[in-house]
Amino acid sequence: MFTIGDFARYGRVSPRMLRHYDAIGLLRPDRTDPATGYRFYGAAQLARLNRIIALKDLGFTLQQVGAVLDEQVGPEELRGMLRLRRAELAEAVAAASARLAQVEARLRSIESEGHMPADDVVIKTVPAVRVAELTGTAASYEPHHIGPVIGPLYEELFPLLESAGLQPTGPGIARYEDAPGGGGAIVVHAGVTVTAPVGPVGGTGVSVVELPPFEAATVVHRGAMDDVLPTAQTLGRWLDANGYRSTGYAREVNLECPADRSQWVTELQEPVAKA
């Protein structure tokens, strides 16, 4: 039998925490001296304490911990919960990192205000091109909505093309349009240049489409697409200063896509008309 101090030491918790667990009925002492009120714990109670701390560290409230323990959760179930929580935390870290990257990109855009290199933007006619593409829908045009949609589309696209015996003949081309239902949703097209008949590619879900020629204002972005904001806003400021207006979403033509995304080279091609 352990005193509360000894039990706290073995469990690597504080006596104050043990008193709180006792008060809420989560971990009662094995025995309480009726005369002094001193609490005493048995070694077997370390198992319940370990589960309480593990579940609490996984993000459960103490009320939820009690409910889980009442279900007699075992080590394998706890490990399963740990795996799930690890995945949730990894997703949260990735989302936070993406948010920070977007804030940094917006800061760079703020810092570049008033410094608009005119020779970065080129007006040209983009020729017709045939692409094989998959489509998906993003909740909005915000980077944290676009990224989780377009990335998996490209990961799926290339194996499907290979299984269909279709080889890319040019760069990847991502394009966007408003979803028919409105509400700010965006249809995301993840494509790559091909030489193939227009239409569905077998039963793969991939479609080959011909994109018509158009007049575009173009600018080259160097770096990850998470950091594209300053480049896109440079393009927008140039259009306003030079008497053009945008007539749609910019295409993203992947000129160079090494494993290190900070080394990517992407041309933005925004359809334009004279204002």
Side-chain angles (χ1 to χ4, degrees), residues 2 7 10-11 26-27 41-55 65 69 73-75 78:
F2 302 120
F7 189 72
Y10 287 123
L26 192 58
L27 179 60
Y41 295 81
Q45 290 183 283
L46 287 170
R48 184 175 178 89
L49 177 62
N50 288 336
R51 284 163 170 75
I52 292 171
I53 301 304
L55 290 167
V65 168
L69 291 178
V73 60
L78 275 173

Side-chain angles (χ1 to χ4, degrees), residues 1-10 15 18 38-42:
M1 196 70 65
F2 302 120
T3 66
I4 190 171
D6 289 339
F7 189 72
R9 188 170 70 256
Y10 287 123
L18 291 175
Y38 289 169
R39 298 170 174 88
F40 296 92
Y41 295 81

Side-chain angles (χ1 to χ4, degrees), residues 109 112-118 120-123 141 216-221 228-250 268-273 275:
S109 186
S112 68
E113 290 171 1
H115 304 281
M116 188 169 56
D120 280 358
V121 179
V122 175
I123 298 291
Y141 197 52
T218 66
V219 65
V220 173
H221 170 69
V228 75
L229 184 67
T231 306
Q233 291 194 351
T234 291
L235 180 57
R237 292 190 186 100
W238 188 95
L239 296 181
D240 184 64
N242 289 273
Y244 286 89
R245 62 179 176 84
S246 171
T247 59
Y249 291 97
L268 305 184
Q269 300 176 343
E270 184 150 351
V272 294

Side-chain angles (χ1 to χ4, degrees), residues 85-174:
R85 184 58 176 159
R86 181 188 293 139
E88 291 172 344
L89 289 173
E91 185 177 345
V93 168
S97 296
R99 287 281 190 181
L100 284 174
Q102 291 160 30
V103 171
E104 289 171 357
R106 227 168 255 284
L107 178 59
R108 284 193 294 276
S109 186
I110 291 169
E111 291 170 342
S112 68
E113 290 171 1
H115 304 281
M116 188 169 56
D119 59 349
D120 280 358
V121 179
V122 175
I123 298 291
K124 66 182 181 183
T125 299
V126 175
V129 62
R130 195 165 289 189
V131 298
E133 62 180 27
L134 287 173
T135 62
T137 302
S140 78
Y141 197 52
E142 295 180 61
H144 68 279
H145 285 149
I146 295 293
V149 175
I150 197 165
L153 286 176
Y154 269 117
E155 289 173 5
E156 186 180 358
L157 176 64
F158 290 104
L160 288 173
L161 292 180
E162 184 176 359
S163 68
L166 196 57
Q167 293 294 320
T169 57
I173 298 177

